[in-house]
Amino acid sequence: MSSAVLQRQAALAGAALLAALLVLVLGRPSAAPTAVGSPPPVSAASWEEADIWIAPAKVVGVCEGKQGPDVRGIVHPVLPCGVKLVVSANGRTMRAEVVADGPVATGRDFALTKALARDLRVSSGDRIRWRFAG
């Protein structure tokens, strides 16, 4: 083998070694999120606030078996049926689940069934606290 070929092979081997080291160093997961503006992690204990409205008696997208005047639940435009939440207002805290996945009033985050609103002593336009049930 000529010395030019040996030099070329040595240079290629060095470049491959350097690339492998960079992959190992830069590919290692970091302890904190690196994306700018990434949302904080959601924990079951973190409370959010929401503007609510009271759902009408007949709601579009009602989950199977979750309709009637005594159903205590939440209508949410995104969360699927059965997701469990904890809601709180006026010193009362209750567990509830999404019972319909339909639209809600403009400017409102979600709706409560009449029975749940009555138990929490809230009305349309009120603000409540909520979190995912753990």
Side-chain angles (χ1 to χ4, degrees):
M1 262 193 195
S2 71
S3 66
V5 171
L6 288 174
Q7 284 180 337
R8 182 171 179 230
Q9 284 182 342
L12 287 173
L17 180 61
L18 180 61
L21 288 173
L22 284 174
V23 166
L24 288 174
V25 170
L26 297 178
R28 187 178 314 151
S30 62
T34 57
V36 175
S38 61
V42 176
S43 81
S46 63
W47 288 92
E48 301 289 334
E49 289 191 357
D51 293 321
I52 58 103
W53 70 291
I54 310 307
K58 296 216 177 203
V59 178
V60 176
V62 174
C63 307
E64 190 173 329
K66 301 292 182 181
Q67 192 168 9
D70 297 327
V71 172
R72 286 166 178 77
I74 296 164
V75 178
H76 197 280
V78 177
L79 294 176
C81 293
V83 171
K84 297 192 179 11
L85 302 175
V86 178
V87 291
S88 178
N90 300 317
R92 294 171 173 241
T93 301
M94 303 184 75
R95 289 178 64 100
E97 69 179 69
V98 175
V99 296
D101 57 356
V104 297
T106 303
R108 303 292 180 240
D109 298 309
F110 52 82
L112 305 180
T113 61
K114 289 182 181 184
L116 181 58
R118 183 178 56 245
D119 290 348
L120 290 173
R121 297 182 181 157
V122 295
S123 57
S124 288
D126 285 352
R127 199 160 181 76
I128 66 165
R129 292 177 6 156
W130 71 275
R131 65 177 172 86
F132 289 104

